[in-house]
């Protein structure tokens, strides 16, 4: 199994530009989670899906952030427009059953200048 | 509000020494997990504890879940440079999402 695959690994963009982060979960995992990690705030849950349906998006910081899961093998996190304070490492994780068996991807390091 | 506080935040010790890191909360968790994260990678699950008072051992690592299921500890015996990393605890209060702790950044000096 290739694990959770995220792309790109690094993204540098200018303030105001649209950024799209991608995630391919482990096949058969019903849950997909998007987290953001910063030194100041640690690892924060942004949104999660169960069977492709968004269940809890209360962690999404504001309307500039949106996430979709059009099918069981693909999810995107979009930031439009991006701001310097969005700079962080964004992780995708998938699991078989809720909190049980989390597997994280390697993350996308986003820098907004 | 951070539900899970870890201490210490940073710890640097010599190879061969023992250490304990703590994960504390005022909330009760149905289960608690420990992860280790290395630079440039995502966190990797080490252990899950679900019963109050439960103790689990993974080679030189010993994990304990508090009796009241509000706290946990990780003890490492004879630390090695390969133990270096960010240690994160994570608690579940329902059956779906995890809340992560503030993290302990551990450095083992050869």
């Amino acid at each position: 199994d290739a694990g959770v695959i995220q792309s790109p690994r690094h993204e540098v963009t200018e303030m105001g530009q649209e950024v799209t982060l991608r995630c391919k979960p482990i096949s058969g995992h019903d849950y997909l989670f998007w987290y953001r990690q910063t030194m100041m705030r640690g690892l924060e849950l942004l949104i999660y899906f169960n069977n492709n349906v968004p269940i809890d998006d209360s962690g999404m910081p504001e309307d500039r952030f949106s996430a979709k899961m059009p099918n069981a093998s693909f999810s995107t996190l979009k930031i439009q427009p991006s701001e310097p304070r969005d700079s962080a490492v964004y992780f995708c994780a998938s699991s078989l059953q809720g909190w049980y068996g989390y597997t994280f991807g390697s993350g996308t390091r986003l820098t907004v200048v | 509000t951070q539900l899970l506080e870890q201490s210490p935040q940073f710890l640097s010790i010599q190879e061969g020494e023992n250490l304990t890191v703590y994960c504390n909360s005022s909330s009760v968790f149905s289960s608690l997990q420990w992860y280790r994260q290395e630079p440039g990678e995502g966190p990797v699950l080490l252990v899950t504890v679900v019963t109050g008072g439960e103790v689990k051992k993974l080679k030189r690592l010993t994990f304990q879940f508090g009796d009241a299921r509000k706290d946990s500890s990780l003890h490492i015996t004879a630390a090695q440079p390969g133990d270096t990393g960010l240690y994160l605890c994570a608690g579940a209060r329902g059956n779906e999402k995890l809340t992560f702790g503030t993290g302990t950044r551990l450095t083992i000096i050869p």
Side-chain angles (χ1 to χ4, degrees):
Chain A
D1 198 328
V4 177
I5 300 173
Q6 291 187 244
S7 64
R9 286 297 309 269
H10 303 274
E11 178 81 39
V12 181
T13 191
E14 292 185 346
M15 183 173 63
Q17 295 299 304
E18 177 179 295
V19 175
T20 299
L21 312 181
R22 298 173 175 79
C23 175
K24 177 180 170 54
I26 292 174
S27 177
H29 280 194
D30 291 335
Y31 287 82
L32 184 139
F33 305 82
W34 281 101
Y35 282 85
R36 177 172 68 177
Q37 187 175 39
T38 61
M39 287 293 292
M40 290 297 295
R41 300 177 66 87
L43 204 55
E44 303 174 284
L45 177 65
L46 300 177
I47 184 171
Y48 77 94
F49 297 83
N50 179 21
N51 292 320
N52 313 336
V53 177
I55 303 300
D56 184 350
D57 66 353
S58 59
M60 297 285 263
E62 48 199 272
D63 292 345
R64 297 184 298 106
F65 285 69
S66 63
K68 295 182 179 179
M69 192 165 186
N71 57 62
S73 60
F74 184 66
S75 177
T76 59
L77 178 67
K78 185 176 293 185
I79 308 173
Q80 166 64 20
S82 58
E83 297 182 2
R85 60 189 166 131
D86 302 330
S87 297
V89 182
Y90 290 81
F91 287 102
C92 174
S94 68
S95 72
L96 277 168
Q97 189 175 351
W99 57 262
Y100 184 76
Y102 260 49
T103 301
F104 280 86
S106 297
T108 295
R109 180 174 294 277
L110 174 64
T111 304
V112 183
V113 297
Chain B
T1 302
Q2 187 60 256
L3 293 177
L4 282 165
E5 295 287 342
Q6 290 185 239
S7 61
Q9 187 177 357
F10 298 94
L11 182 59
S12 182
I13 64 169
Q14 294 289 135
E15 179 178 359
E17 294 184 350
N18 301 332
L19 67 107
T20 302
V21 299
Y22 301 92
C23 173
N24 293 294
S25 175
S26 57
S27 302
V28 175
F29 290 94
S30 55
S31 68
L32 197 134
Q33 301 182 342
W34 284 92
Y35 290 77
R36 180 170 65 209
Q37 184 179 15
E38 298 187 13
E41 297 299 327
V44 175
L45 179 64
L46 296 175
V47 76
T48 300
V49 286
V50 296
T51 304
E54 182 177 1
V55 177
K56 279 192 175 179
K57 292 191 175 183
L58 184 65
K59 297 182 180 179
R60 295 177 293 100
L61 279 60
T62 301
F63 305 86
Q64 183 164 8
F65 200 11
D67 290 342
R69 291 187 287 130
K70 293 182 179 181
D71 55 84
S72 180
S73 64
L74 159 59
H75 181 80
I76 300 179
T77 303
Q80 299 177 1
D83 297 326
T84 292
L86 176 66
Y87 287 80
L88 295 161
C89 63
R93 291 198 293 167
N95 61 356
E96 294 195 334
K97 62 183 181 181
L98 286 176
T99 299
F100 281 81
T102 50
T104 293
R105 194 166 296 277
L106 175 64
T107 302
I108 308 301
I109 303 165

mmCIF file with all atom_site columns, all heavy atoms in Angstrom, chain A residues 10-30:
data_model
loop_
_atom_site.group_PDB
_atom_site.id
_atom_site.type_symbol
_atom_site.label_atom_id
_atom_site.label_alt_id
_atom_site.label_comp_id
_atom_site.label_asym_id
_atom_site.label_entity_id
_atom_site.label_seq_id
_atom_site.pdbx_PDB_ins_code
_atom_site.Cartn_x
_atom_site.Cartn_y
_atom_site.Cartn_z
_atom_site.occupancy
_atom_site.B_iso_or_equiv
_atom_site.pdbx_formal_charge
_atom_site.auth_seq_id
_atom_site.auth_comp_id
_atom_site.auth_asym_id
_atom_site.auth_atom_id
_atom_site.pdbx_PDB_model_num
ATOM 1   N N   . HIS A 1 10 ? 5.743   20.791 -1.618 1.00 0.00 ? 10 HIS A N   1
ATOM 2   C CA  . HIS A 1 10 ? 6.051   22.183 -1.288 1.00 0.00 ? 10 HIS A CA  1
ATOM 3   C C   . HIS A 1 10 ? 5.317   23.090 -2.266 1.00 0.00 ? 10 HIS A C   1
ATOM 4   O O   . HIS A 1 10 ? 5.208   22.770 -3.449 1.00 0.00 ? 10 HIS A O   1
ATOM 5   C CB  . HIS A 1 10 ? 7.549   22.462 -1.381 1.00 0.00 ? 10 HIS A CB  1
ATOM 6   C CG  . HIS A 1 10 ? 8.379   21.582 -0.516 1.00 0.00 ? 10 HIS A CG  1
ATOM 7   N ND1 . HIS A 1 10 ? 8.641   21.868 0.811  1.00 0.00 ? 10 HIS A ND1 1
ATOM 8   C CD2 . HIS A 1 10 ? 8.999   20.407 -0.775 1.00 0.00 ? 10 HIS A CD2 1
ATOM 9   C CE1 . HIS A 1 10 ? 9.391   20.906 1.317  1.00 0.00 ? 10 HIS A CE1 1
ATOM 10  N NE2 . HIS A 1 10 ? 9.620   20.015 0.393  1.00 0.00 ? 10 HIS A NE2 1
ATOM 11  N N   . GLU A 1 11 ? 4.817   24.208 -1.742 1.00 0.00 ? 11 GLU A N   1
ATOM 12  C CA  . GLU A 1 11 ? 4.141   25.183 -2.584 1.00 0.00 ? 11 GLU A CA  1
ATOM 13  C C   . GLU A 1 11 ? 4.508   26.570 -2.084 1.00 0.00 ? 11 GLU A C   1
ATOM 14  O O   . GLU A 1 11 ? 4.329   26.869 -0.903 1.00 0.00 ? 11 GLU A O   1
ATOM 15  C CB  . GLU A 1 11 ? 2.635   24.985 -2.518 1.00 0.00 ? 11 GLU A CB  1
ATOM 16  C CG  . GLU A 1 11 ? 1.815   25.990 -3.325 1.00 0.00 ? 11 GLU A CG  1
ATOM 17  C CD  . GLU A 1 11 ? 1.754   25.648 -4.796 1.00 0.00 ? 11 GLU A CD  1
ATOM 18  O OE1 . GLU A 1 11 ? 1.636   24.469 -5.127 1.00 0.00 ? 11 GLU A OE1 1
ATOM 19  O OE2 . GLU A 1 11 ? 1.833   26.591 -5.612 1.00 0.00 ? 11 GLU A OE2 1
ATOM 20  N N   . VAL A 1 12 ? 5.019   27.392 -2.993 1.00 0.00 ? 12 VAL A N   1
ATOM 21  C CA  . VAL A 1 12 ? 5.294   28.789 -2.678 1.00 0.00 ? 12 VAL A CA  1
ATOM 22  C C   . VAL A 1 12 ? 4.439   29.629 -3.609 1.00 0.00 ? 12 VAL A C   1
ATOM 23  O O   . VAL A 1 12 ? 4.476   29.441 -4.825 1.00 0.00 ? 12 VAL A O   1
ATOM 24  C CB  . VAL A 1 12 ? 6.779   29.143 -2.860 1.00 0.00 ? 12 VAL A CB  1
ATOM 25  C CG1 . VAL A 1 12 ? 7.006   30.607 -2.498 1.00 0.00 ? 12 VAL A CG1 1
ATOM 26  C CG2 . VAL A 1 12 ? 7.665   28.250 -2.002 1.00 0.00 ? 12 VAL A CG2 1
ATOM 27  N N   . THR A 1 13 ? 3.657   30.525 -3.043 1.00 0.00 ? 13 THR A N   1
ATOM 28  C CA  . THR A 1 13 ? 2.757   31.318 -3.852 1.00 0.00 ? 13 THR A CA  1
ATOM 29  C C   . THR A 1 13 ? 2.704   32.743 -3.334 1.00 0.00 ? 13 THR A C   1
ATOM 30  O O   . THR A 1 13 ? 3.096   33.018 -2.196 1.00 0.00 ? 13 THR A O   1
ATOM 31  C CB  . THR A 1 13 ? 1.346   30.718 -3.861 1.00 0.00 ? 13 THR A CB  1
ATOM 32  O OG1 . THR A 1 13 ? 0.537   31.355 -4.841 1.00 0.00 ? 13 THR A OG1 1
ATOM 33  C CG2 . THR A 1 13 ? 0.686   30.872 -2.496 1.00 0.00 ? 13 THR A CG2 1
ATOM 34  N N   . GLU A 1 14 ? 2.231   33.624 -4.169 1.00 0.00 ? 14 GLU A N   1
ATOM 35  C CA  . GLU A 1 14 ? 2.121   35.016 -3.754 1.00 0.00 ? 14 GLU A CA  1
ATOM 36  C C   . GLU A 1 14 ? 0.757   35.279 -3.135 1.00 0.00 ? 14 GLU A C   1
ATOM 37  O O   . GLU A 1 14 ? -0.248  34.648 -3.512 1.00 0.00 ? 14 GLU A O   1
ATOM 38  C CB  . GLU A 1 14 ? 2.334   35.941 -4.949 1.00 0.00 ? 14 GLU A CB  1
ATOM 39  C CG  . GLU A 1 14 ? 3.762   35.912 -5.484 1.00 0.00 ? 14 GLU A CG  1
ATOM 40  C CD  . GLU A 1 14 ? 3.966   36.931 -6.589 1.00 0.00 ? 14 GLU A CD  1
ATOM 41  O OE1 . GLU A 1 14 ? 2.968   37.464 -7.122 1.00 0.00 ? 14 GLU A OE1 1
ATOM 42  O OE2 . GLU A 1 14 ? 5.152   37.185 -6.940 1.00 0.00 ? 14 GLU A OE2 1
ATOM 43  N N   . MET A 1 15 ? 0.737   36.183 -2.208 1.00 0.00 ? 15 MET A N   1
ATOM 44  C CA  . MET A 1 15 ? -0.502  36.585 -1.560 1.00 0.00 ? 15 MET A CA  1
ATOM 45  C C   . MET A 1 15 ? -1.553  36.924 -2.614 1.00 0.00 ? 15 MET A C   1
ATOM 46  O O   . MET A 1 15 ? -1.263  37.602 -3.597 1.00 0.00 ? 15 MET A O   1
ATOM 47  C CB  . MET A 1 15 ? -0.239  37.799 -0.674 1.00 0.00 ? 15 MET A CB  1
ATOM 48  C CG  . MET A 1 15 ? -1.416  38.292 0.105  1.00 0.00 ? 15 MET A CG  1
ATOM 49  S SD  . MET A 1 15 ? -0.957  39.602 1.259  1.00 0.00 ? 15 MET A SD  1
ATOM 50  C CE  . MET A 1 15 ? -0.392  40.855 0.134  1.00 0.00 ? 15 MET A CE  1
ATOM 51  N N   . GLY A 1 16 ? -2.776  36.417 -2.383 1.00 0.00 ? 16 GLY A N   1
ATOM 52  C CA  . GLY A 1 16 ? -3.868  36.693 -3.302 1.00 0.00 ? 16 GLY A CA  1
ATOM 53  C C   . GLY A 1 16 ? -4.103  35.610 -4.336 1.00 0.00 ? 16 GLY A C   1
ATOM 54  O O   . GLY A 1 16 ? -5.170  35.554 -4.960 1.00 0.00 ? 16 GLY A O   1
ATOM 55  N N   . GLN A 1 17 ? -3.135  34.715 -4.490 1.00 0.00 ? 17 GLN A N   1
ATOM 56  C CA  . GLN A 1 17 ? -3.276  33.642 -5.467 1.00 0.00 ? 17 GLN A CA  1
ATOM 57  C C   . GLN A 1 17 ? -4.098  32.487 -4.881 1.00 0.00 ? 17 GLN A C   1
ATOM 58  O O   . GLN A 1 17 ? -4.189  32.307 -3.664 1.00 0.00 ? 17 GLN A O   1
ATOM 59  C CB  . GLN A 1 17 ? -1.911  33.111 -5.891 1.00 0.00 ? 17 GLN A CB  1
ATOM 60  C CG  . GLN A 1 17 ? -1.062  34.133 -6.634 1.00 0.00 ? 17 GLN A CG  1
ATOM 61  C CD  . GLN A 1 17 ? -1.729  34.595 -7.913 1.00 0.00 ? 17 GLN A CD  1
ATOM 62  O OE1 . GLN A 1 17 ? -2.078  33.772 -8.773 1.00 0.00 ? 17 GLN A OE1 1
ATOM 63  N NE2 . GLN A 1 17 ? -1.896  35.889 -8.065 1.00 0.00 ? 17 GLN A NE2 1
ATOM 64  N N   . GLU A 1 18 ? -4.670  31.702 -5.772 1.00 0.00 ? 18 GLU A N   1
ATOM 65  C CA  . GLU A 1 18 ? -5.409  30.502 -5.362 1.00 0.00 ? 18 GLU A CA  1
ATOM 66  C C   . GLU A 1 18 ? -4.431  29.342 -5.206 1.00 0.00 ? 18 GLU A C   1
ATOM 67  O O   . GLU A 1 18 ? -3.518  29.168 -6.020 1.00 0.00 ? 18 GLU A O   1
ATOM 68  C CB  . GLU A 1 18 ? -6.450  30.150 -6.422 1.00 0.00 ? 18 GLU A CB  1
ATOM 69  C CG  . GLU A 1 18 ? -7.231  28.876 -6.131 1.00 0.00 ? 18 GLU A CG  1
ATOM 70  C CD  . GLU A 1 18 ? -8.262  28.578 -7.197 1.00 0.00 ? 18 GLU A CD  1
ATOM 71  O OE1 . GLU A 1 18 ? -9.219  29.363 -7.345 1.00 0.00 ? 18 GLU A OE1 1
ATOM 72  O OE2 . GLU A 1 18 ? -8.106  27.561 -7.895 1.00 0.00 ? 18 GLU A OE2 1
ATOM 73  N N   . VAL A 1 19 ? -4.631  28.555 -4.164 1.00 0.00 ? 19 VAL A N   1
ATOM 74  C CA  . VAL A 1 19 ? -3.789  27.393 -3.893 1.00 0.00 ? 19 VAL A CA  1
ATOM 75  C C   . VAL A 1 19 ? -4.682  26.167 -3.763 1.00 0.00 ? 19 VAL A C   1
ATOM 76  O O   . VAL A 1 19 ? -5.717  26.222 -3.085 1.00 0.00 ? 19 VAL A O   1
ATOM 77  C CB  . VAL A 1 19 ? -3.002  27.577 -2.580 1.00 0.00 ? 19 VAL A CB  1
ATOM 78  C CG1 . VAL A 1 19 ? -2.217  26.327 -2.242 1.00 0.00 ? 19 VAL A CG1 1
ATOM 79  C CG2 . VAL A 1 19 ? -2.083  28.783 -2.688 1.00 0.00 ? 19 VAL A CG2 1
ATOM 80  N N   . THR A 1 20 ? -4.305  25.068 -4.400 1.00 0.00 ? 20 THR A N   1
ATOM 81  C CA  . THR A 1 20 ? -5.050  23.820 -4.279 1.00 0.00 ? 20 THR A CA  1
ATOM 82  C C   . THR A 1 20 ? -4.112  22.714 -3.826 1.00 0.00 ? 20 THR A C   1
ATOM 83  O O   . THR A 1 20 ? -3.096  22.440 -4.475 1.00 0.00 ? 20 THR A O   1
ATOM 84  C CB  . THR A 1 20 ? -5.702  23.425 -5.615 1.00 0.00 ? 20 THR A CB  1
ATOM 85  O OG1 . THR A 1 20 ? -6.615  24.453 -6.011 1.00 0.00 ? 20 THR A OG1 1
ATOM 86  C CG2 . THR A 1 20 ? -6.462  22.113 -5.455 1.00 0.00 ? 20 THR A CG2 1
ATOM 87  N N   . LEU A 1 21 ? -4.471  22.096 -2.707 1.00 0.00 ? 21 LEU A N   1
ATOM 88  C CA  . LEU A 1 21 ? -3.718  20.973 -2.167 1.00 0.00 ? 21 LEU A CA  1
ATOM 89  C C   . LEU A 1 21 ? -4.514  19.695 -2.436 1.00 0.00 ? 21 LEU A C   1
ATOM 90  O O   . LEU A 1 21 ? -5.742  19.695 -2.340 1.00 0.00 ? 21 LEU A O   1
ATOM 91  C CB  . LEU A 1 21 ? -3.500  21.156 -0.668 1.00 0.00 ? 21 LEU A CB  1
ATOM 92  C CG  . LEU A 1 21 ? -2.976  22.534 -0.221 1.00 0.00 ? 21 LEU A CG  1
ATOM 93  C CD1 . LEU A 1 21 ? -2.792  22.561 1.287  1.00 0.00 ? 21 LEU A CD1 1
ATOM 94  C CD2 . LEU A 1 21 ? -1.703  22.904 -0.937 1.00 0.00 ? 21 LEU A CD2 1
ATOM 95  N N   . ARG A 1 22 ? -3.792  18.615 -2.715 1.00 0.00 ? 22 ARG A N   1
ATOM 96  C CA  . ARG A 1 22 ? -4.435  17.381 -3.125 1.00 0.00 ? 22 ARG A CA  1
ATOM 97  C C   . ARG A 1 22 ? -4.092  16.217 -2.210 1.00 0.00 ? 22 ARG A C   1
ATOM 98  O O   . ARG A 1 22 ? -2.985  16.174 -1.662 1.00 0.00 ? 22 ARG A O   1
ATOM 99  C CB  . ARG A 1 22 ? -4.071  17.051 -4.566 1.00 0.00 ? 22 ARG A CB  1
ATOM 100 C CG  . ARG A 1 22 ? -4.541  18.114 -5.558 1.00 0.00 ? 22 ARG A CG  1
ATOM 101 C CD  . ARG A 1 22 ? -4.028  17.877 -6.960 1.00 0.00 ? 22 ARG A CD  1
ATOM 102 N NE  . ARG A 1 22 ? -4.583  18.844 -7.915 1.00 0.00 ? 22 ARG A NE  1
ATOM 103 C CZ  . ARG A 1 22 ? -4.153  20.079 -8.062 1.00 0.00 ? 22 ARG A CZ  1
ATOM 104 N NH1 . ARG A 1 22 ? -3.138  20.532 -7.325 1.00 0.00 ? 22 ARG A NH1 1
ATOM 105 N NH2 . ARG A 1 22 ? -4.715  20.878 -8.948 1.00 0.00 ? 22 ARG A NH2 1
ATOM 106 N N   . CYS A 1 23 ? -5.031  15.280 -2.110 1.00 0.00 ? 23 CYS A N   1
ATOM 107 C CA  . CYS A 1 23 ? -4.821  14.127 -1.235 1.00 0.00 ? 23 CYS A CA  1
ATOM 108 C C   . CYS A 1 23 ? -5.481  12.893 -1.826 1.00 0.00 ? 23 CYS A C   1
ATOM 109 O O   . CYS A 1 23 ? -6.640  12.933 -2.249 1.00 0.00 ? 23 CYS A O   1
ATOM 110 C CB  . CYS A 1 23 ? -5.397  14.403 0.153  1.00 0.00 ? 23 CYS A CB  1
ATOM 111 S SG  . CYS A 1 23 ? -5.318  12.990 1.287  1.00 0.00 ? 23 CYS A SG  1
ATOM 112 N N   . LYS A 1 24 ? -4.739  11.810 -1.815 1.00 0.00 ? 24 LYS A N   1
ATOM 113 C CA  . LYS A 1 24 ? -5.283  10.502 -2.181 1.00 0.00 ? 24 LYS A CA  1
ATOM 114 C C   . LYS A 1 24 ? -5.217  9.624  -0.944 1.00 0.00 ? 24 LYS A C   1
ATOM 115 O O   . LYS A 1 24 ? -4.123  9.267  -0.491 1.00 0.00 ? 24 LYS A O   1
ATOM 116 C CB  . LYS A 1 24 ? -4.482  9.874  -3.317 1.00 0.00 ? 24 LYS A CB  1
ATOM 117 C CG  . LYS A 1 24 ? -4.920  8.482  -3.712 1.00 0.00 ? 24 LYS A CG  1
ATOM 118 C CD  . LYS A 1 24 ? -4.079  7.940  -4.850 1.00 0.00 ? 24 LYS A CD  1
ATOM 119 C CE  . LYS A 1 24 ? -4.330  6.470  -5.109 1.00 0.00 ? 24 LYS A CE  1
ATOM 120 N NZ  . LYS A 1 24 ? -5.752  6.164  -5.323 1.00 0.00 ? 24 LYS A NZ  1
ATOM 121 N N   . PRO A 1 25 ? -6.370  9.239  -0.375 1.00 0.00 ? 25 PRO A N   1
ATOM 122 C CA  . PRO A 1 25 ? -6.352  8.422  0.849  1.00 0.00 ? 25 PRO A CA  1
ATOM 123 C C   . PRO A 1 25 ? -6.015  6.968  0.543  1.00 0.00 ? 25 PRO A C   1
ATOM 124 O O   . PRO A 1 25 ? -5.958  6.558  -0.612 1.00 0.00 ? 25 PRO A O   1
ATOM 125 C CB  . PRO A 1 25 ? -7.790  8.556  1.355  1.00 0.00 ? 25 PRO A CB  1
ATOM 126 C CG  . PRO A 1 25 ? -8.599  8.756  0.113  1.00 0.00 ? 25 PRO A CG  1
ATOM 127 C CD  . PRO A 1 25 ? -7.722  9.558  -0.814 1.00 0.00 ? 25 PRO A CD  1
ATOM 128 N N   . ILE A 1 26 ? -5.835  6.200  1.604  1.00 0.00 ? 26 ILE A N   1
ATOM 129 C CA  . ILE A 1 26 ? -5.612  4.765  1.450  1.00 0.00 ? 26 ILE A CA  1
ATOM 130 C C   . ILE A 1 26 ? -6.914  4.119  0.990  1.00 0.00 ? 26 ILE A C   1
ATOM 131 O O   . ILE A 1 26 ? -7.991  4.421  1.512  1.00 0.00 ? 26 ILE A O   1
ATOM 132 C CB  . ILE A 1 26 ? -5.135  4.151  2.773  1.00 0.00 ? 26 ILE A CB  1
ATOM 133 C CG1 . ILE A 1 26 ? -3.727  4.657  3.100  1.00 0.00 ? 26 ILE A CG1 1
ATOM 134 C CG2 . ILE A 1 26 ? -5.150  2.637  2.725  1.00 0.00 ? 26 ILE A CG2 1
ATOM 135 C CD1 . ILE A 1 26 ? -3.213  4.237  4.455  1.00 0.00 ? 26 ILE A CD1 1
ATOM 136 N N   . SER A 1 27 ? -6.800  3.239  0.003  1.00 0.00 ? 27 SER A N   1
ATOM 137 C CA  . SER A 1 27 ? -7.976  2.577  -0.528 1.00 0.00 ? 27 SER A CA  1
ATOM 138 C C   . SER A 1 27 ? -8.705  1.810  0.576  1.00 0.00 ? 27 SER A C   1
ATOM 139 O O   . SER A 1 27 ? -8.086  1.066  1.352  1.00 0.00 ? 27 SER A O   1
ATOM 140 C CB  . SER A 1 27 ? -7.555  1.610  -1.640 1.00 0.00 ? 27 SER A CB  1
ATOM 141 O OG  . SER A 1 27 ? -8.663  0.905  -2.137 1.00 0.00 ? 27 SER A OG  1
ATOM 142 N N   . GLY A 1 28 ? -10.020 2.008  0.646  1.00 0.00 ? 28 GLY A N   1
ATOM 143 C CA  . GLY A 1 28 ? -10.806 1.303  1.660  1.00 0.00 ? 28 GLY A CA  1
ATOM 144 C C   . GLY A 1 28 ? -11.028 2.093  2.930  1.00 0.00 ? 28 GLY A C   1
ATOM 145 O O   . GLY A 1 28 ? -11.845 1.711  3.771  1.00 0.00 ? 28 GLY A O   1
ATOM 146 N N   . HIS A 1 29 ? -10.295 3.169  3.107  1.00 0.00 ? 29 HIS A N   1
ATOM 147 C CA  . HIS A 1 29 ? -10.507 4.021  4.276  1.00 0.00 ? 29 HIS A CA  1
ATOM 148 C C   . HIS A 1 29 ? -11.731 4.903  4.022  1.00 0.00 ? 29 HIS A C   1
ATOM 149 O O   . HIS A 1 29 ? -11.804 5.588  3.020  1.00 0.00 ? 29 HIS A O   1
ATOM 150 C CB  . HIS A 1 29 ? -9.279  4.884  4.535  1.00 0.00 ? 29 HIS A CB  1
ATOM 151 C CG  . HIS A 1 29 ? -8.185  4.153  5.235  1.00 0.00 ? 29 HIS A CG  1
ATOM 152 N ND1 . HIS A 1 29 ? -7.100  4.798  5.829  1.00 0.00 ? 29 HIS A ND1 1
ATOM 153 C CD2 . HIS A 1 29 ? -8.008  2.833  5.489  1.00 0.00 ? 29 HIS A CD2 1
ATOM 154 C CE1 . HIS A 1 29 ? -6.313  3.907  6.383  1.00 0.00 ? 29 HIS A CE1 1
ATOM 155 N NE2 . HIS A 1 29 ? -6.836  2.705  6.187  1.00 0.00 ? 29 HIS A NE2 1
ATOM 156 N N   . ASP A 1 30 ? -12.643 4.925  5.017  1.00 0.00 ? 30 ASP A N   1
ATOM 157 C CA  . ASP A 1 30 ? -13.885 5.665  4.842  1.00 0.00 ? 30 ASP A CA  1
ATOM 158 C C   . ASP A 1 30 ? -13.810 7.108  5.330  1.00 0.00 ? 30 ASP A C   1
ATOM 159 O O   . ASP A 1 30 ? -14.703 7.892  5.059  1.00 0.00 ? 30 ASP A O   1
ATOM 160 C CB  . ASP A 1 30 ? -15.023 4.960  5.593  1.00 0.00 ? 30 ASP A CB  1
ATOM 161 C CG  . ASP A 1 30 ? -15.390 3.640  4.945  1.00 0.00 ? 30 ASP A CG  1
ATOM 162 O OD1 . ASP A 1 30 ? -15.158 3.488  3.739  1.00 0.00 ? 30 ASP A OD1 1
ATOM 163 O OD2 . ASP A 1 30 ? -15.920 2.764  5.657  1.00 0.00 ? 30 ASP A OD2 1
#
